[in-house]
């Protein structure tokens, strides 16, 4: 079950959103007819089915100025509850690796069996892909799932697996809020061709960065997987992208820690702080996508988490050989993410304005303590951003603008100007 925290107070400063660069859109006005999600009573705990929250306690968020914002009162994440930031059980000490691994394996196995046997897919409905290769892979995937389903039945009959109860049908225990928001989310769209055109126009206008082929190849492989496997599945695509996007910062911090421990290099403490703030920002992006149902598919979790491990060790090697090369890779990833979110916003602007913001987004962007939010934007010479967060449109605009700040920071790290940027922001 999920219990959202009580109202948390944030800060809304400044007169509005800062002046936008070439990819930024105009300010948002609240549309009429937006989804109205009820504020549940404090004792309304709700129920959960396969990690999908059905009716949680839903306190109105109050920002630092006293303005009240109604958050999305449902959480479609596979790992909700204590796995979501700013909730009551978050921050507890973990158990042993064996107990954690067993609990996770049992939960993953249950959902894998439910999908292969009954095609249970909690969360917003999925859309059939449009591309020929994506359609072919989807057909192959369904055939493989059916084969696993038959194997599961055989193992169950042989008493090698416990009896799997018939899973509830989609919508059987869902509240009206759950259904309304899920229907809206299922209408969101993203065109690979439009993203490619967005990238092309940016390169024509701003130029491209020079990247060695050995660095560009894994980046292109990531883009290919995202485009083919997640055609017409934007939220799942964003979740996989954000899962991988956190990993280079882990790698950079690991090597900087190693250098300090060995006495090789002690001037990287400020870089470690910046990279932690960047990872903290990406983690919030990740949890926002989880709350929208991006991690509901067993296959998506398998792809994202194994890709993350592979990219971690790849970036370890890159950073050991040349930090500039490692930063070059991440700058490309962040540029692609920025272009992808920019196109998504253009294609879905009106629909996004009708959907409330997830609670985790409100607690991050409108929090009183924005130290880490400001820290990851160390290459930004302008006044600190104070984002709006009234609906899901605002949330995705904020994420897109975050990616632009990551691009600036990676460029400063790659070109060696980050030290000057840090010095300029250090109190005299």
């Amino acid at each position: 079950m999920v219990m959202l925290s009580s109202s948390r107070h944030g800060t809304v400063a400044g007169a509005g959103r800062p002046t936008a660069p070439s990819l930024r859109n105009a300010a948002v006005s609240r549309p009429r007819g937006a989804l109205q999600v009820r504020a549940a009573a404090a004792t309304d705990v709700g129920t959960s089915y396969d990690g999908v929250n059905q009716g949680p306690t839903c306190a109105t968020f109050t920002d630092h100025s006293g303005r009240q914002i109604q958050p999305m009162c449902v959480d479609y994440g596979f790992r909700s509850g204590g796995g979501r930031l700013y909730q009551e059980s978050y921050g507890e000490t973990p158990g042993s690796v064996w107990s954690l691994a067993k609990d996770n394996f049992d939960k993953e196995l249950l959902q894998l069996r439910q999908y292969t046997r009954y095609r249970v897919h909690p969360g917003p409905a999925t859309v059939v892909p449009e591309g020929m290769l994506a359609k072919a892979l989807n057909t192959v995937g369904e055939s493989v799932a059916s084969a696993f389903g038959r194997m599961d039945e055989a193992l169950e009959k042989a008493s090698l697996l416990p009896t799997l109860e018939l899973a509830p049908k989609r919508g059987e225990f869902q509240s009206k809020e759950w259904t309304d928001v899920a229907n809206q989310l299922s209408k969101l769209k993203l065109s690979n061709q439009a993203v490619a055109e967005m990238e092309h126009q940016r390169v024509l206008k701003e130029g491209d960065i020079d990247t060695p082929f050995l660095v560009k190849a894994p980046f292109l492989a990531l883009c290919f997987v995202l485009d083919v496997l997640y055609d017409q599945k934007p939220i799942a695509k964003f979740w996989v992208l954000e899962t991988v996007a956190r990993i280079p910062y882990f790698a950079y911090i690991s090597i900087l820690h190693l250098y300090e421990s060995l006495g090789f290099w002690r001037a990287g403490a400020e870089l470690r702080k910046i990279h932690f703030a960047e990872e903290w920002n990406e983690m919030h992006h990740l949890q926002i996508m989880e709350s929208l149902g991006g991690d509901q598919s067993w296959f998506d979790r398998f792809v994202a988490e194994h890709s993350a491990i592979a990219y971690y060790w790849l970036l370890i090697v890159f950073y050991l050989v040349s930090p500039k090369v490692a930063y070059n890779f991440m700058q490309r990833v962040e540029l692609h993410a920025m272009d992808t979110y920019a196109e998504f916003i253009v294609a879905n602007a009106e629909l996004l304005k009708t959907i409330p913001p997830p609670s985790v987004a409100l607690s991050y962007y409108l929090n009183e303590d924005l130290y880490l939010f400001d820290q990851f934007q160390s290459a930004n010479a302008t006044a600190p951003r104070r984002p709006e967060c009234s609906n899901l449109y605002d949330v995705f605009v904020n994420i897109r603008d975050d990616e632009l700040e990551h691009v600036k920071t990676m460029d400063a790290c790659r070109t060696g100007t980050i030290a000057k940027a840090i010095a300029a922001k250090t109190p005299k």
Side-chain angles (χ1 to χ4, degrees), residues 317-352:
V317 173
F318 281 173
Y319 207 89
L320 285 169
V321 174
S322 170
K324 290 184 178 181
V325 165
Y327 290 133
N328 185 297
F329 173 86
M330 197 57 197
Q331 188 175 355
R332 278 207 168 272
V333 171
E334 299 293 10
L335 280 168
H336 180 70
M338 182 185 70
D339 291 331
T340 304
Y341 284 122
E343 172 54 34
F344 179 75
I345 291 167
V346 171
N348 301 280
E350 294 307 314
L351 180 56
L352 289 170

Side-chain angles (χ1 to χ4, degrees), residues 213-230:
F213 176 75
L214 289 178
V215 178
K216 197 170 184 178
F219 163 74
L220 294 176
L222 175 63
C223 294
F224 178 79
V225 169
L226 291 171
D227 288 348
V228 173
L229 294 184
Y230 298 98

Side-chain angles (χ1 to χ4, degrees), residues 288-301:
I288 288 168
M289 299 311 158
E290 286 182 358
S291 69
L292 300 176
D295 68 337
Q296 271 300 319
S297 168
W298 179 89
F299 178 76
D300 294 345
R301 294 194 299 276

Side-chain angles (χ1 to χ4, degrees), residues 222 226 230 235-245 294 300 303-304:
L222 175 63
L226 291 171
Y230 298 98
I235 301 301
K237 182 176 187 175
F238 294 149
W239 181 76
V240 175
L241 177 61
E242 295 295 350
T243 300
V244 176
D300 294 345
V303 170

Side-chain angles (χ1 to χ4, degrees), residues 5-22:
S5 61
S6 59
S7 298
R8 302 179 76 90
H9 298 274
T11 301
V12 179
R17 189 168 294 142
T19 303
S22 57

Side-chain angles (χ1 to χ4, degrees), residues 15-37:
R17 189 168 294 142
T19 303
S22 57
L23 287 175
R24 302 196 186 185
N25 297 333
V28 183
S29 59
R30 286 191 185 180
R32 294 182 180 179
L35 270 175
Q36 298 297 316
V37 182

Side-chain angles (χ1 to χ4, degrees), residues 8-13 61-67 366-368:
R8 302 179 76 90
H9 298 274
T11 301
V12 179
F61 183 93
T62 305
D63 68 19
H64 188 56
S65 67
R67 183 179 57 142
L366 301 184
N367 202 297
E368 277 186 337

Side-chain angles (χ1 to χ4, degrees), residues 12 16 41 43 68 112 116 128 202 229 251-253 272 308-309 313 346 363 403 405:
V12 179
T43 55
Q68 292 189 330
L112 175 60
T116 57
V128 177
R202 173 182 55 77
L229 294 184
Y252 304 159
I253 292 170
R272 283 197 291 109
I309 294 171
W313 288 109
V346 171
S363 296
E403 303 299 356
E405 296 302 331

